[in-house]
Amino acid sequence: MSHYLVRRTAILLGSLFLAAVALFALLRLLPGDPANALLPVGATPDQIDAARRELGTDASLPSQFLSWLAGIARLDLGKSLISTLPVGPEITARLPVTVPLTLTAFVLAVLVAVPVGVLAAARADRWYGPVINAVAQLGIAVPAFWLGLLLIAGFALNLHVLPAGGFPPDGWADPGLALQSLILPCLTVALVMAASMIRYVRAATLDVLGADYLRTARALGAGAREAMWRHGLRNAAVPVIAVLAMELATTFLGAVVVESVFALPGLGSLLVRGISQHDYPVIQGVMLVSTATVLVVGFLGDVAQRLVDPRLRLRSAS
Amino acid sequence: MSRRRSVHLAIGLALVGLVVGAVLMSYLWLPFAPDDTSGGRLTAPGGDHLLGTDKLGRDLFTQLLIGGRIALGTALGAVAVGGVLGVGAGLLAGFATRWRDDVAAVTLDILIAFPTLLLAMLIVAGAGASLGTAILAIGLAMAAIVARLTRVLVKQVLTRDYITAARIAGISWPRIVLGHVLPNIGPVVLVNLALQAGLAVLAEASLSYLGLGTPPPNASWGRMLFEAQATVLTAPVAALAPGLALVVLVVGVNLSADGLRDLTDPTRRRSR
């Protein structure tokens, strides 16, 4: 286990470092001077120099990179080129939208996908087994933003039961209003995520159903239900846990896109605005936070999988 | 059970064939010129305009066909980039030994940890939004996944007796790769590439919806959906047709990939 932890931690740190390098390099080395964002049309060379000094892009690339790393270490992500506000607080201000959206959608998707996926595998011979498969197959092909658009048309514009988008300007001051504006986005992300999770859960359950130990448990007198509960589900949980971590990361990314559909002031809309305005510090900051979240969640999922499965633990010890 | 699976393949190929057929037809004949705005804004379906017109007065069916070109182009382009780079890197990594093997494994693990959509957004942020940038970005992200799969498969094949036999017979490594390694890993890699093609189509649509993919006036399905969002009640067809087209293509690609996997992998054919 310790060997595995060391290796996995090295991969995590390596990818975090690589993310920082990639974020720095791609935005610095590609054509286009970030200073242009600060300058009026037809700026004089003096103005250009001043803008570069202000951004720090007049220094050499290695020293720019070091100061970018040092800034990350101090949790200082620089200032927006457009609003001149610090990027760090701007990101934290948007977490109360993105974090509840991601977590609620994820929990909802898991609550739907696990029972439905097990059912689809255990009752593959009944009529609803194939139906569940067909619906899940359809679900993974539906783009989240389109589903969101359809839900808006149905529930907000036609039935007028929920807001079509936006978020209360004073945030969670009125929890009822805030919740209302998150219902449709949550539903959108959760449905799309549930579709792909159902397929994983079903595959894992099918593998377990064909396993020798389940037959042995049945031969020793356990009922189908008892064998499934005591032996089946625990084994099926192992691959599902690792997938769930990946899916949590994907849910987060889904939320990033769906926020734009519902005009929610979250991380995703901040990123999209940053990209369209060429606001490099904002892009870097949001990308860094997003990538780091995805990487850390993946790390935790892999480690949790090792902890749950004694076979993997033993294999890595040898 | 295998009969039902070949039904999947048939349905999948039929759906993909529908889209490919429509796109091929679009090169020979389009109902209207793409920039023809003579139809009037947001006319209802029927008459000259099969699906009505968009808010600029362009024929929606024409736009849909052109969006199909972009979707298929993305799928093929991203698979070409991801397949060539991925299989190439995976082959090299598969032949690596000792510390080089560790470095290759860890590097691929790091690359694969980057989510496709974020990587694509980053590249678009630097290089500017265009279809080529989107295809390249999606293809690069795909390459890491394909490379990791190829590396594992190559390692498995290299332990087989027929490789040892070929070495003893004095056959050179390049000929072993062409004659034994690639044919043996080919089916699994192809099935994976097919699944990735579906994901690539969805990724391009998401980028275009966010305004980070194909720029106007080109009609990507994702972009069409973005433009239709504001008028979803007055012109519902404009908001439905591109989404349905996306679902048809992606379901078709996924079903074909599933069917192909069951055809090429006898162990799965029996158990499912």
Side-chain angles (χ1 to χ4, degrees):
Chain A
M1 188 70 195
S2 65
H3 172 77
Y4 175 77
L5 259 183
V6 168
R7 183 187 151 93
R8 193 62 188 78
T9 311
I11 290 178
L12 175 68
L13 294 177
S15 22
L16 284 173
F17 181 74
L18 201 75
V21 174
L23 282 171
F24 174 81
L26 261 169
L27 295 182
R28 288 299 142 109
L29 300 180
L30 287 166
D33 190 338
N36 286 341
L38 287 182
L39 295 168
V41 181
T44 63
D46 281 352
Q47 282 175 312
I48 295 177
D49 283 346
R52 286 192 178 144
R53 242 193 325 279
E54 196 183 326
L55 292 175
T57 50
D58 57 336
S60 71
L61 279 179
S63 83
Q64 280 185 48
F65 180 63
L66 285 181
S67 66
W68 148 246
L69 277 188
I72 296 174
R74 293 194 312 269
L75 298 178
D76 172 11
L77 296 170
K79 285 178 182 165
S80 160
L81 298 181
I82 310 290
S83 66
T84 67
L85 294 171
V87 173
E90 184 140 16
I91 288 175
T92 16
R94 280 157 182 271
L95 293 182
V97 174
T98 303
V99 171
L101 172 58
T102 306
L103 291 183
T104 321
F106 180 72
V107 171
L108 213 61
V110 173
L111 287 180
V112 171
V114 170
V116 172
V118 171
L119 203 69
R123 297 278 181 272
D125 49 344
R126 305 277 182 84
W127 63 268
Y128 45 84
V131 169
I132 295 173
N133 285 342
V135 172
Q137 183 74 257
L138 207 64
I140 55 167
V142 171
F145 60 89
W146 188 48
L147 182 63
L149 204 159
L150 295 180
L151 288 179
I152 292 178
F155 288 95
L157 304 178
N158 246 330
L159 299 175
H160 301 287
V161 286
L162 289 165
F167 197 70
D170 48 356
W172 287 88
D174 182 348
L177 272 183
L179 273 180
Q180 260 188 19
S181 45
L182 283 185
I183 291 178
L184 284 184
C186 259
L187 210 59
T188 307
V189 180
L191 284 174
V192 170
M193 292 317 300
S196 71
M197 283 186 206
I198 285 173
R199 288 165 59 83
Y200 287 118
V201 173
R202 175 178 168 271
T205 314
L206 274 180
D207 282 344
V208 169
L209 283 176
D212 291 339
Y213 53 76
L214 209 69
R215 199 171 46 200
T216 309
R218 296 275 285 127
L220 290 174
R225 196 170 291 256
E226 193 199 343
M228 195 60 202
W229 276 109
R230 290 198 42 191
H231 305 281
L233 292 183
R234 287 164 71 175
N235 278 291
V238 174
V240 170
I241 284 176
V243 167
L244 282 185
M246 234 168 59
E247 297 279 294
L248 176 57
T250 318
T251 311
F252 172 69
L253 297 171
V256 163
V257 177
V258 168
E259 275 170 14
S260 294
V261 182
F262 290 91
L264 289 176
L267 272 189
S269 38
L270 182 65
L271 177 62
V272 172
R273 197 189 71 197
I275 293 176
S276 56
Q277 292 179 335
H278 303 286
D279 194 343
Y280 289 107
V282 168
I283 301 173
Q284 278 178 337
V286 180
M287 286 276 187
L288 190 72
V289 171
S290 315
T291 318
T293 310
V294 171
L295 294 176
V296 169
V297 168
F299 169 79
L300 293 176
D302 281 1
V303 173
Q305 189 189 20
R306 292 273 160 159
L307 288 176
V308 171
D309 190 351
R311 287 165 303 185
L312 289 174
R313 240 179 352 218
L314 286 176
R315 201 180 305 154
S316 63
S318 62
Chain B
M1 258 340 225
S2 73
R3 203 164 46 104
R4 185 186 291 168
R5 282 294 159 171
S6 57
V7 171
H8 280 196
L9 183 62
I11 298 175
L13 289 179
L15 293 177
V16 175
L18 189 70
V19 177
V20 171
V23 166
L24 288 180
M25 179 197 78
S26 82
Y27 284 102
L28 300 173
W29 173 82
L30 279 172
F32 288 86
D35 52 355
D36 180 352
T37 56
S38 62
R41 294 170 168 213
L42 293 175
T43 50
D48 283 350
H49 298 279
L50 193 60
L51 296 177
T53 56
D54 69 2
K55 63 181 176 193
L56 296 175
R58 296 175 298 187
D59 180 55
L60 206 68
F61 187 55
T62 308
Q63 301 286 311
L64 202 65
L65 290 174
I66 292 182
R69 293 181 190 170
I70 290 175
L72 284 187
T74 307
L76 293 176
V79 163
V81 173
V84 170
L85 288 180
V87 171
L91 270 177
L92 285 179
F95 274 94
T97 51
R98 294 195 306 267
W99 65 270
R100 284 185 219 92
D101 183 40
D102 286 336
V103 170
V106 171
T107 311
L108 287 176
D109 278 349
I110 291 176
L111 287 178
I112 221 161
F114 288 98
T116 305
L117 201 63
L118 280 188
L119 191 69
M121 283 172 137
L122 182 65
I123 295 178
V124 168
S130 77
L131 180 59
T133 312
I135 291 177
L136 190 69
I138 297 168
L140 284 177
M142 191 192 293
I145 299 168
V146 175
R148 185 156 83 164
L149 175 70
T150 308
R151 174 183 167 271
V152 173
L153 292 173
V154 168
K155 288 228 169 282
Q156 282 170 5
V157 167
L158 287 182
T159 61
R160 296 300 169 86
D161 289 340
Y162 55 76
I163 299 290
T164 319
R167 283 302 287 162
I168 293 170
I171 298 172
S172 69
W173 277 122
R175 283 193 54 198
I176 289 181
V177 168
L178 286 178
H180 296 287
V181 177
L182 284 181
N184 275 295
I185 68 170
V188 181
V189 172
L190 280 183
V191 167
N192 188 263
L193 282 176
L195 283 173
Q196 301 285 335
L199 294 176
V201 170
L202 285 179
E204 193 279 331
S206 296
L207 283 177
S208 290
Y209 175 84
L210 294 173
L212 305 174
T214 317
N218 293 316
S220 154
W221 288 337
R223 205 179 162 80
M224 290 172 72
L225 285 172
F226 172 76
E227 284 169 2
Q229 187 170 358
T231 55
V232 60
L233 284 192
T234 44
V237 177
L240 286 175
L244 281 177
L246 270 169
V247 172
V248 165
L249 179 57
V250 176
V251 166
V253 169
N254 286 346
L255 283 180
S256 308
D258 281 358
L260 275 179
R261 180 180 54 206
D262 294 313
L263 272 186
T264 54
D265 185 349
T267 57
R268 287 187 75 102
R269 211 183 299 162
R270 209 159 8 94
S271 65
R272 296 290 142 85

